[in-house]
Amino acid sequence: MALARWISPQPTGIYLPPIDTWIDPSQPVARALVTHGHADHARGGHGQVWATPETLAIMAVRYGAQNGVPVAYGESIAMDGIEVSFVPAGHVLGSAQIVLDHAGERVVVSGDYKRRADPTCAPFQPVKCDVFVTEATFGLPVFRHPDTRDEMRKLLAALTTEPERCVLVGAYALGKAQRVIAEVRALGYHEPIYLHGALQRLCDLYVELGVDLGELRAVMDADKADLQGHIVMAPPSALGDRWSRRLPDPITAMASGWMRVRQRARQRGVELPLILSDHADWDELTTTLTEIAPREVWVTHGREDALVHWCMTRQIKARALDLVGFEDEDD
């Protein structure tokens, strides 16, 4: 018999008919379970939202106050016959896998996740299940992420090699920017880090929620000379923008799993590619599936074909879901 017949994947999200509720819907709905705060998973306008307290706080910053029901990690709630719980996904602050127990079956919708240690969020928690719903952003064997600290040491080395310049790091505003800051702090870098205005609100929120990011300053409040020999953080869209002209001969860097692809780095004019991803790489995807040992795998987005093939060669039933609206972001 087919598994999880009580779940209906739709192009706009994963629908749960028994409770008339959607998971990460791409358009406003009456009832939504949300895995994390990135814009391709969390959107405004829902009637009611169940998510972790951190995700609700992120959504409030981005979309205004939500009609939210906070669900802490490990907490279980009963929704008309479906038991719902949230466990850490290790992707960004507040990110969660949504565990659904119903009709003697367990389904885990993982959202986006990674297995690497991250000082800004709780680590991924594997949950045994019948059906595992996974991403495949880096679902090709060519994608094997390097050691995080080695990449951050490249960043710090650039500062000391050319102290008359600054290092301008392009990083996604939610999760990646804060992780870069926390990772260099962990390596002993305690100088002020300068922020583009677009990163300020979410960095402030991380600090409010207990993530130590050290001393942060606004670029707009600094003179060009103040920025020499320092790290400047900005959204990737600002790397080639007129805004960057105020900086002292910046070494342009970008923190992304896509920096593994040299052409992407060249297209963006990146001088210092930093391979740092908030998604699982190929080995982490396959290790996770081996560890969880689901009877069936559903792949939501990314490089679905390779991961589906890997499952089938190991007698794990697998299929790709035709969901729309999920993006690679700048990872």
Side-chain angles (χ1 to χ4, degrees):
M1 287 201 39
L3 292 172
R5 299 179 70 178
W6 43 278
I7 297 179
S8 176
Q10 301 289 329
T12 54
I14 295 174
Y15 181 54
L16 308 175
I19 56 175
D20 190 23
T21 301
W22 295 77
I23 298 176
D24 289 353
S26 61
Q27 58 190 23
V29 297
R31 293 156 58 97
L33 303 170
V34 174
T35 60
H36 67 282
H38 278 145
D40 57 338
H41 292 258
R43 294 167 170 84
H46 302 311
Q48 194 165 21
V49 178
W50 286 260
T52 64
E54 297 86 353
T55 294
L56 290 174
I58 290 165
M59 291 179 71
V61 166
R62 292 189 141 186
Y63 308 119
Q66 304 295 302
N67 182 17
V69 180
V71 184
Y73 290 140
E75 182 181 353
S76 183
I77 55 174
M79 299 179 71
D80 299 328
I82 296 181
E83 201 76 16
V84 180
S85 56
F86 286 58
V87 299
H91 180 54
V92 297
L93 182 64
S95 62
Q97 305 170 79
I98 297 175
V99 182
L100 308 167
D101 288 291
H102 180 65
E105 297 175 332
R106 170 168 285 179
V107 176
V108 174
V109 181
S110 62
D112 290 337
Y113 64 97
K114 70 174 179 289
R115 303 301 303 266
R116 302 292 175 98
D118 181 340
T120 68
C121 66
F124 178 92
Q125 179 181 320
V127 178
K128 295 279 188 180
C129 57
D130 298 295
V131 177
F132 187 65
V133 184
T134 182
E135 58 143 315
T137 301
F138 291 103
L140 290 173
V142 68
F143 289 115
R144 289 181 165 92
H145 303 323
D147 182 79
T148 299
R149 293 203 162 191
D150 286 346
E151 295 302 292
M152 294 300 96
R153 289 188 184 102
K154 292 179 186 177
L155 168 56
L156 297 180
L159 285 177
T160 58
T161 301
E162 301 188 72
E164 72 284 357
R165 305 173 70 184
C166 69
V167 179
L168 171 60
V169 183
Y172 197 68
L174 171 57
K176 185 62 61 63
Q178 297 80 17
R179 184 182 175 199
V180 169
I181 295 168
E183 294 285 4
V184 297
R185 298 301 192 202
L187 289 174
Y189 182 79
H190 300 301
E191 296 296 315
I193 292 176
Y194 290 85
L195 300 181
H196 184 288
L199 303 185
Q200 191 71 56
R201 287 193 307 163
L202 286 170
C203 285
D204 288 346
L205 178 62
Y206 265 60
V207 172
E208 289 173 23
L209 295 174
V211 180
D212 184 8
L213 298 178
E215 184 179 356
L216 304 177
R217 297 180 182 175
V219 170
M220 65 180 294
D221 295 334
D223 296 327
K224 183 176 280 193
D226 296 332
L227 301 173
Q228 289 181 328
H230 286 278
I231 296 171
V232 178
M233 304 289 301
S237 60
L239 294 185
D241 190 72
R242 292 176 57 188
W243 173 88
S244 65
R245 296 177 189 173
R246 72 183 67 192
L247 307 178
D249 190 18
I251 300 168
T252 303
M254 184 166 172
S256 169
W258 295 113
M259 290 297 98
R260 169 71 72 186
V261 182
R262 292 180 182 177
Q263 178 143 359
R264 290 213 183 193
R266 285 196 298 268
Q267 286 172 344
R268 287 185 172 268
V270 173
E271 185 177 347
L272 179 63
L274 302 170
I275 305 170
L276 183 70
S277 177
D278 285 331
H279 296 265
D281 68 8
W282 175 258
D283 288 337
E284 292 161 350
L285 288 168
T286 57
T287 297
T288 299
L289 295 180
T290 301
E291 184 176 6
I292 291 172
R295 295 163 60 193
E296 196 165 316
V297 173
W298 299 355
V299 187
T300 56
H301 65 287
R303 280 72 202 153
E304 300 101 328
D305 291 349
L307 195 60
V308 168
H309 176 74
W310 182 90
C311 290
M312 301 297 274
T313 60
R314 286 156 181 79
Q315 289 74 55
I316 303 171
K317 187 176 179 182
R319 63 167 170 147
L321 305 183
D322 296 320
L323 302 185
V324 298
F326 291 97
E327 302 169 358
D328 294 332
E329 307 155 348
D330 283 303
D331 178 45

